[in-house]
Amino acid sequence: MQLEGKVAVITGGSSGIGQATAELFAQSGAKVAIVGLSSDDLQETVNKIQQQGGEILAFSADVSKPEQIQAVMKQTGDRWGRIDIVLANAGINGVWAPLEELDPDEWDQTIDINLKGTFLTVKYAVPYLKRQGGAVVVMSSVNGTRMFSNTGATAYACSKAAQVAFTKMVALELAKDRIRVNVVCPGAISTDINESTDQQSLEGIRLPVKFPEGQIPLTDGKSGTSMQVAQLVLFLASDASSHITGTEMWIDGGQSLLQG
């Protein structure tokens, strides 16, 4: 029970990595608050954790809306008296398109959810984290940090690169308050985030590259799982990583070393 007595807030907690992390945190003793857009999807996670005897709150909220995220943190703090762990995980792939065809509104949507959402999630959790110290984990990607071969994913890659810079800046700022801030950069993981990808007219801008067979060397091309990422998040949220802050960790089976 590595997280016994801890309270964790997880955005994007209704599916994929967020859902797997919520389940693992609850199994590890934490009380968990999850945030997502769909009440129905959130309820699925709630049911799973309650069936296992865990304590959970669910909030339908948009991470790009300040008042909604501030309310999530307040209600969680009021309910359980503390917040110890934050996973800023909510994100979209958004529109992948040639720069000339990428609409400013499409750019804004990706940046708002992925980057502004991270900022708001951490910002409004800080007053609670400062009370006793804690851990923040930001969910970035290999895209924009080690990999730049997904041509057309400019808005997405920029948002993910910015999350790494945000993590390093905030880690130093909050170190005196005993708040650790780290960032996880997954490669290909079996989740439903691809459903939020809108690929447009990419054929004309992608350069022809032939990779060796099996694009993920460690698994001969097989994607990683949400639970593998959740286990890394658990490590970063627990006392096992008590001297780690401001650090990015890639979890991609060597994919970015091959495809960068």
Side-chain angles (χ1 to χ4, degrees):
M1 304 294 281
Q2 299 177 62
L3 304 182
E4 185 70 39
K6 305 289 188 182
V7 172
V9 177
I10 298 171
T11 65
S14 59
S15 64
I17 292 168
Q19 184 181 66
T21 303
E23 292 179 33
L24 186 59
F25 277 13
Q27 292 165 9
S28 300
K31 298 178 178 68
V32 181
I34 58 171
V35 182
L37 287 174
S38 168
S39 298
D40 291 341
D41 291 342
L42 286 166
Q43 191 59 47
E44 180 183 337
T45 306
V46 169
N47 292 342
K48 286 183 178 181
I49 289 177
Q50 288 181 338
Q51 287 167 7
Q52 297 168 1
E55 292 189 58
I56 183 169
L57 292 174
F59 299 95
S60 180
D62 182 340
V63 294
S64 69
K65 305 298 183 186
E67 66 282 356
Q68 294 184 26
I69 296 306
Q70 187 174 27
V72 166
M73 299 304 171
K74 184 180 187 306
Q75 291 176 52
T76 301
D78 288 349
R79 171 69 178 273
W80 287 321
R82 59 192 296 151
I83 295 174
D84 303 275
I85 300 162
V86 174
L87 172 58
N89 169 71
I92 61 169
N93 280 354
V95 174
W96 293 16
L99 197 59
E100 294 170 281
E101 298 181 21
L102 185 63
D103 189 88
D105 288 340
E106 295 166 344
W107 170 278
D108 287 346
Q109 182 186 36
T110 301
I111 299 298
D112 278 354
I113 295 173
N114 294 357
L115 182 56
K116 182 182 177 183
T118 295
F119 157 67
L120 294 174
T121 298
V122 178
K123 170 183 171 63
Y124 289 118
V126 163
Y128 300 93
L129 293 166
K130 279 185 173 181
R131 295 176 183 176
Q132 70 285 312
V136 174
V137 180
V138 173
M139 194 61 60
S140 180
S141 173
V142 294
N143 289 290
T145 59
R146 269 187 175 176
M147 280 176 52
F148 299 87
S149 51
N150 280 321
T151 311
T154 309
Y156 179 77
C158 287
S159 72
K160 294 295 155 180
Q163 284 178 312
V164 174
F166 174 85
T167 295
K168 293 176 183 291
M169 293 296 295
V170 175
L172 191 58
E173 178 182 336
L174 299 178
K176 65 182 183 300
D177 298 301
R178 294 168 292 116
I179 301 170
R180 298 182 299 104
V181 189
N182 293 290
V183 59
V184 172
C185 302
I189 304 295
S190 296
T191 71
D192 59 4
I193 193 171
N194 288 333
E195 295 176 7
S196 70
T197 309
D198 183 359
Q199 298 191 16
Q200 301 175 6
S201 308
L202 297 177
E203 298 78 8
I205 61 169
R206 279 186 172 159
L207 298 174
V209 179
K210 185 176 182 181
F211 295 109
E213 184 177 353
Q215 294 185 13
I216 304 176
L218 196 61
T219 57
D220 195 27
K222 184 179 179 182
S223 295
T225 67
S226 294
M227 186 53 68
Q228 286 173 315
V229 181
Q231 288 165 345
L232 175 56
V233 176
L234 174 61
F235 166 71
L236 291 173
S238 74
D239 290 340
S241 62
S242 60
H243 203 53
I244 300 175
T245 195
T247 298
E248 61 267 58
M249 290 188 150
W250 287 275
I251 176 166
D252 66 353
Q255 178 187 13
S256 61
L257 300 177
L258 182 67
Q259 289 185 242

